[in-house]
Amino acid sequence: MGLREQTVKALLWTFSERIGMQMVRFVVSVVLARLLSPADFGLLGMLTIFMILGQQLVAAGFGRALVQKKDADDEDATAVFYFGVFIALALIALLFFSAPLIATFYEEPKLLWLTRVMSLNFLFGSLMIVHNTLLIKRIQFRKKVLSNFLSFPISAAVGIGMALKDFGPWSLVGMQLSASFSRMVFIWILFPWRPKLSFSFRSLKEMFPYGSRILAASLVSIFFDNIYLVLIGKMYNKTELGYYTRAHRMHELFAVVLTQTVGQVMFPAFSAVQDEQERFLRGARKATSFCLFVIAPILMGLLMTSDSFVGVVFGRKWLPSVPFLRVLCVAGLFYPLNYINNNILQAKGRSDLFFRQEVIKRILQVVNIFVTFRYGVIALLIGHTVCCVIGWLLSVYYMRSVFIYNFTMQLRDAAPYLALSAAMMAGVGLVRLIAEGQVQIGVFAIQVAVGAAIYAAGSVLFKPAAHRECCDLAASAVRKWRAGSQRRG
């Protein structure tokens, strides 16, 4: 099977997982949002930065290094596995003894045992790092998808069951731990790789230059991407943090998750053709087009319907999160472009440039925090959006030093989808003006229908690149299905 066919098949499997999983997760999050208070979500939001930083330390950048290394073998995979488990155990011990400091910092005694129990996620995560990495490297996503599908009903049942029994924030802890544990069990059953009873320092040493720079850049990125959770939790209150967490989760669902779905498949595909400039360029342009084709209409539609969306889906108690969500929708438009450019740098082996630009972007973010934090959360997020725009321009600048995909080309690839989404947003806004004062759920349903119709009609009329690619793939799938039916007949 050729690289194109492998990549398309992986994209289909990954999208089936992500879209299916995110739909189910979304339903579960709606149920939990109606059962729990914003303050319960705020408490878990206070721990998010520690959990994500810990997960990244467990991976230690060597997962990416294992994918990027062309001649990686079983000895390399085993070294990454044992190193990850060691780091996970060290982090669990560290958080157990530092939990009182975290609780004191936020002035929230409940965080003491919430922190200690949540740290078990590191161990479960470390036991499946290599399994996930090898499946990604081989562009074989079916078993990874199945492990996630099988584990989610278990975690959803645990979370909702605990919420119905009034466990409060422990419902969210139970759901996350059961998800990690069950996913780890299923992936070990479905994928037969097992570590050797040996450990190679040589393997880690070979991957260290690339992996350490990726780790450093990722830690810097994660810290600053989640620093607002710390600031809002400390300077305001857990309820305000709960509102921000709800808006941030929606931003993650529609911008981050969808983009990373494409990136998860495109990175090994990019790495496989890193020395073939023409194929690499085609892949980069297709990734940009496809991401914006899917994400731009969702974010711009959500920007226009956010008050109806939040009120209808999560309940009126969550309406204070709407202003946060609107600003994050604008910031989210630049996330796919940043992510694709960073994937290009990493696939080219230029983790040094990736780290350098991350440092510059985070310096800008520190400036934003010092300038805007006193004016409230909205000012902080507007400043964050400005940093996202500058960060994208910076990523284009560094990418140009190793690749021919420049600012004009990327903007030209993104423009059709932004234009179609703007037309869709205008139509949705017109519905809102005409139907002002009507029943909220009815107005929201009409807005969604009108927006989808405008975007679909525009795509058919103007036929942008991603639309043509999707039509070609669909036609090819139909031809293969018919050929298979004829052979069976």
Side-chain angles (χ1 to χ4, degrees), residues 145-163:
V145 169
L146 287 175
S147 68
N148 286 335
F149 269 125
L150 291 170
S151 66
F152 191 74
I154 297 171
S155 62
V158 170
I160 293 173
M162 292 178 70

Side-chain angles (χ1 to χ4, degrees), residues 32 36 155 158-164 166-176:
L32 290 174
L36 303 175
S155 62
V158 170
I160 293 173
M162 292 178 70
L164 288 170
D166 295 324
F167 277 88
W170 283 103
S171 310
L172 302 173
V173 174
M175 185 169 72
Q176 290 190 32

Side-chain angles (χ1 to χ4, degrees), residues 69-342:
K69 188 178 180 183
K70 292 182 178 179
D71 57 348
D73 56 21
D74 210 41
E75 190 176 72
D76 298 319
T78 297
V80 171
F81 176 84
Y82 286 124
F83 186 75
V85 172
F86 171 76
I87 295 295
L89 294 173
L91 285 171
I92 291 171
L94 177 64
L95 277 184
F96 185 90
F97 291 109
S98 61
L101 297 176
I102 295 171
T104 301
F105 174 77
Y106 284 115
E107 299 178 3
E108 285 290 346
K110 291 180 180 179
L111 290 177
L112 177 64
W113 281 102
L114 287 172
T115 303
R116 288 171 171 172
V117 175
M118 276 288 286
S119 68
L120 293 174
N121 257 329
F122 300 146
L123 179 59
F124 303 147
S126 70
L127 293 172
M128 55 182 168
I129 286 172
V130 172
H131 292 77
N132 283 326
T133 298
L134 292 177
L135 288 171
I136 291 170
K137 185 176 180 68
R138 298 170 188 177
I139 319 182
Q140 298 173 356
F141 287 76
R142 184 172 61 87
K143 292 176 181 179
K144 187 173 181 295
V145 169
L146 287 175
S147 68
N148 286 335
F149 269 125
L150 291 170
S151 66
F152 191 74
I154 297 171
S155 62
V158 170
I160 293 173
M162 292 178 70
L164 288 170
K165 295 293 184 180
D166 295 324
F167 277 88
W170 283 103
S171 310
L172 302 173
V173 174
M175 185 169 72
Q176 290 190 32
L177 287 179
S178 58
S180 297
F181 178 76
S182 56
R183 189 162 59 247
M184 180 267 295
V185 170
F186 285 125
I187 206 165
W188 273 69
I189 293 172
L190 292 168
F191 186 51
W193 182 86
R194 298 294 182 265
K196 295 180 175 180
L197 296 177
S198 60
F199 181 81
S200 171
F201 282 103
R202 178 190 59 80
S203 292
L204 285 181
K205 186 177 179 181
E206 287 178 357
M207 290 184 282
F208 183 79
Y210 180 89
S212 61
R213 289 193 292 264
I214 292 296
L215 172 63
S218 298
L219 290 177
V220 170
S221 178
I222 287 168
F223 177 80
F224 283 101
D225 284 347
N226 293 276
I227 191 65
Y228 301 132
L229 294 169
V230 178
L231 288 173
I232 296 168
K234 177 64 178 175
M235 299 181 60
Y236 301 98
N237 55 64
K238 60 187 177 184
T239 301
E240 189 86 351
L241 179 57
Y243 293 135
Y244 169 76
T245 302
R246 172 57 51 208
H248 185 64
R249 290 286 180 266
M250 290 300 97
H251 164 262
E252 277 193 331
L253 173 63
F254 296 122
V256 178
V257 171
L258 288 173
T259 301
Q260 290 182 354
T261 299
V262 176
Q264 190 178 47
V265 177
M266 295 309 295
F267 178 70
F270 283 168
S271 296
V273 296
Q274 58 187 282
D275 299 324
E276 302 175 45
Q277 290 282 62
E278 197 170 317
R279 292 181 70 190
F280 198 103
L281 178 60
R282 284 200 304 270
R285 300 191 71 172
K286 284 182 179 180
T288 299
S289 296
F290 193 79
C291 279
L292 271 296
F293 179 62
V294 175
I295 294 168
I298 294 175
L299 289 178
M300 294 175 78
L302 188 59
L303 174 65
M304 188 58 69
T305 64
S306 52
D307 50 351
S308 301
F309 172 79
V310 171
V312 169
V313 175
F314 296 103
R316 298 190 66 82
K317 69 180 179 181
W318 289 98
L319 285 176
S321 67
V322 168
F324 304 158
L325 179 58
R326 285 174 173 159
V327 180
L328 287 172
C329 282
V330 178
L333 289 171
F334 296 92
Y335 183 84
L337 302 174
N338 270 303
Y339 190 84
I340 290 166
N341 295 347
N342 289 339

Side-chain angles (χ1 to χ4, degrees), residues 457-471:
S459 297
V460 171
L461 181 62
F462 295 104
K463 293 182 173 56
H467 176 265
R468 294 195 303 272
E469 183 76 13
C470 289
C471 290

